[in-house]
Amino acid sequence: CSAQGASGSELLRLRKVVNDLSTVVLVDMSGTFLRSDAILRAVAYLPFPWSLLRHLKLIPRVLRDAIYRYLASNRYLLFGRR
């Protein structure tokens, strides 16, 4: 569900996560994941070879989140707009 919707907002409230639309949040049966943890958790659900990206979890979170913030801030410059 979307964080902007009623069910998404309620889920974030129940999980005690600030409803910050500037970052990605993934909630599954294992817990709540933010920023690079959410991305790596999501790719684990994808088929091979994409699921191999979950091994990037071995990189320290501080570095992963710094890269995440850089990519998020510069996504239009790096990937363009549709």
Side-chain angles (χ1 to χ4, degrees):
C1 62
S2 168
Q4 292 96 336
S7 59
S9 294
E10 178 65 10
L11 182 61
L12 293 177
R13 187 186 69 73
L14 289 172
R15 295 286 180 125
K16 296 179 176 34
V17 176
V18 175
N19 194 351
D20 177 8
L21 299 178
S22 69
T23 191
V24 64
V25 178
L26 185 136
V27 178
D28 68 9
M29 298 302 283
S30 298
T32 304
F33 305 89
L34 303 171
R35 292 176 286 284
S36 65
D37 286 332
I39 298 298
L40 296 179
R41 187 73 179 181
V43 299
Y45 290 106
L46 296 175
F48 180 84
W50 298 108
S51 60
L52 293 175
L53 291 173
R54 72 181 179 271
H55 296 294
L56 293 173
K57 182 112 172 133
L58 298 172
I59 297 171
R61 180 183 292 138
V62 171
L63 182 57
R64 283 187 286 122
D65 282 348
I67 294 168
Y68 168 84
R69 283 190 296 275
Y70 174 79
L71 292 174
S73 296
N74 295 288
R75 66 185 178 275
Y76 295 125
L77 179 65
L78 297 167
F79 306 111
R81 287 184 185 244
R82 287 190 181 202

